[in-house]
Amino acid sequence: PGFPISLGVEVPAGKTLVYLSGAVPPTPAPDKDGKIAPLPSDTQAQAVLTLQRIEQSLKSLRLTLGDVVFLRAYLVGDPALGHKLDFGGFNAAYKQFFGTAEQPALPARSVVQVAGLARPDFLVEIEVIAARK
C-alpha cells in the first residue's frame, strides 16, 4: 500500500504489446563552441531525462505513459552514495510520471543495480512494455 507500482498488470486478450528498447538519458546538444555539457551526475536527474525520452518515444508510437504495463530500470551505483543504488532518487523521478493526478496508471516494475551501462556517465537505463488499447 502506498508504493507506486502495481503488483501485476493484466493485458486483455487481443491487445498489442509494444516493447521499447532500453532508453538512457539523451546526450545534450553541443554548444556554439562544439562542447557538450556533461550529463547530470545523479540518478534522479538522469531518470527524469530518461522518462521524458520514453514519453516522447511512446508519443511517436501513438501511446502514452498510461499505456505502460511493465517498466524495468537498470541503475548503476551512484558514486555520490558510495556506488550504492539510489532507489530513493529513482522513485522520486518515477513518481513525477506515474501515479499522478494527470497520469494515474501504475505499471508492474523491477529495479535492479548493474555494474555499468554503455557509457561510464550513464547511471540509468529504462525499458518499458506498453499495451496498445
Side-chain angles (χ1 to χ4, degrees):
F3 200 69
I5 64 171
S6 290
L7 179 61
V9 177
E10 184 174 340
V11 178
K15 302 300 178 191
T16 302
L17 293 180
V18 179
Y19 295 75
L20 267 68
S21 296
V24 293
T27 301
D31 66 14
K32 61 181 170 120
D33 298 323
K35 294 182 182 175
I36 297 175
L39 287 173
S41 60
D42 66 281
T43 298
Q44 182 174 344
Q46 285 198 20
V48 166
L49 291 171
T50 304
L51 288 164
Q52 288 171 340
R53 187 176 217 184
I54 289 169
E55 190 171 36
Q56 290 303 310
S57 294
L58 289 166
K59 186 178 179 181
S60 74
L61 296 167
R62 297 179 318 280
L63 294 163
T64 70
L65 290 171
D67 297 312
V68 173
V69 294
F70 184 78
L71 178 148
R72 181 175 294 119
Y74 302 95
L75 305 180
V76 173
D78 192 321
L81 299 175
H83 297 283
K84 293 182 181 171
L85 175 123
D86 184 3
F87 192 70
F90 175 77
N91 265 344
Y94 173 89
K95 288 180 190 179
Q96 294 177 42
F97 296 85
F98 294 96
T100 66
E102 302 81 32
Q103 200 298 97
L106 294 172
R109 184 185 96 176
S110 296
V111 177
V112 297
Q113 182 170 344
V114 295
L117 294 168
R119 279 187 11 197
D121 55 343
F122 288 151
L123 297 176
V124 176
E125 181 171 345
I126 301 171
E127 59 188 20
V128 300
I129 301 171
R132 190 174 303 281
K133 297 176 179 148

